[in-house]
Amino acid sequence: MSLRKQHTRRAVFLDRDGTLIEDRGNLRLPTEVIFFESTFEALQRLQERFLLFIVTNQMGVADGALTIEEVNQVNEHLVKQLANRGIQIVDVYCCPHKRSDDCECIKPKPYFLHNAAAQYSIDLKNSYAIGDHPHDVVFAENVGAIGIYVLTGHGAKHQNELNGDELVLPSIAEAADWILDQ
Ligand SMILES: [Zn+2]
């Protein structure tokens, strides 16, 4: 008798810049990170029912504007700041490529979602992604998850690129409320 691995854990996949922290372009230093005020409380509530992941496109690396070490340093700082408030980020996934590289991992390609599902037994169809770019919604939809578009960061600027079917909410706070109401 073989036991099939069950994918039973639900997750929220969080975009980084413009969703958890202010979008200030290419971040090189931990001191450049500014969290949105509502990020901590939103994640504290979400983690009671969901595993939390960060998925970020950092095309500045491919452009030569910043190094992967700088990106990793900023990500480690972010994870530590969240941990100081009792929030556990299970994993941070980063695509360092630019769109013309045609890599496998850039959002909205669901590469990192499949990775997380395989490694952490995530039930993707009952999971969520939150982000301030239309590709964050498509990213979720590509695996049957639910994507939520937030108007922080570049959200307001890209709103005209939405197709009209997306769930649009003001910020991570309302996104957390909505998810926890499901
Ligand atoms: Zn990539």
Side-chain angles (χ1 to χ4, degrees):
M1 192 176 76
S2 71
L3 285 173
R4 270 189 68 202
K5 197 175 173 192
Q6 301 257 330
H7 285 206
T8 55
R9 298 196 284 182
R10 305 166 78 200
V12 179
F13 296 90
L14 305 149
D15 174 54
R16 196 189 84 177
D17 304 272
T19 302
L20 300 179
I21 62 175
E22 287 185 15
D23 194 326
R24 307 175 71 213
N26 292 318
L27 299 185
R28 278 196 191 78
L29 298 167
T31 49
E32 295 173 314
V33 172
I34 301 176
F35 278 94
F36 290 126
E37 216 168 288
S38 59
T39 294
F40 301 116
E41 203 226 334
L43 299 192
Q44 282 162 356
R45 288 188 292 135
L46 282 174
Q47 76 171 1
E48 290 174 17
R49 283 167 49 189
F50 297 89
L51 297 183
L52 303 179
F53 295 86
I54 293 172
V55 187
T56 179
N57 286 353
Q58 294 294 326
M59 49 187 80
V61 177
D63 287 338
L66 76 173
T67 66
I68 192 69
E69 290 78 18
E70 288 169 330
V71 170
N72 290 341
Q73 181 180 245
V74 166
N75 288 341
E76 282 161 22
H77 169 78
L78 218 100
V79 167
K80 203 169 157 198
Q81 290 297 301
L82 293 171
N84 286 345
R85 289 163 177 82
I87 298 156
Q88 192 204 347
I89 300 298
V90 176
D91 220 332
V92 179
Y93 298 114
C94 176
C95 165
H97 309 110
K98 57 185 181 220
R99 207 152 292 282
S100 57
D101 289 340
D102 200 28
C103 66
E104 286 307 307
C105 51
I106 198 165
K107 287 187 281 186
K109 291 182 184 176
Y111 177 83
F112 289 129
L113 295 176
H114 290 304
N115 259 19
Q119 191 174 353
Y120 301 102
S121 303
I122 306 298
D123 171 9
L124 291 177
K125 288 190 171 34
N126 287 297
S127 292
Y128 300 85
I130 305 172
D132 69 319
H133 193 280
H135 67 210
D136 290 303
V137 176
V138 178
F139 179 58
E141 289 172 349
N142 280 340
V143 296
I146 294 171
I148 301 173
Y149 185 85
V150 289
L151 295 173
T152 46
H154 287 141
K157 192 176 90 183
H158 289 289
Q159 208 175 356
N160 60 350
E161 297 168 28
L162 296 173
N163 63 32
D165 298 331
E166 296 87 350
L167 177 59
V168 180
L169 293 169
S171 77
I172 184 90
E174 292 79 7
D177 287 340
W178 189 88
I179 290 171
L180 292 166
D181 270 349
Q182 301 306 300

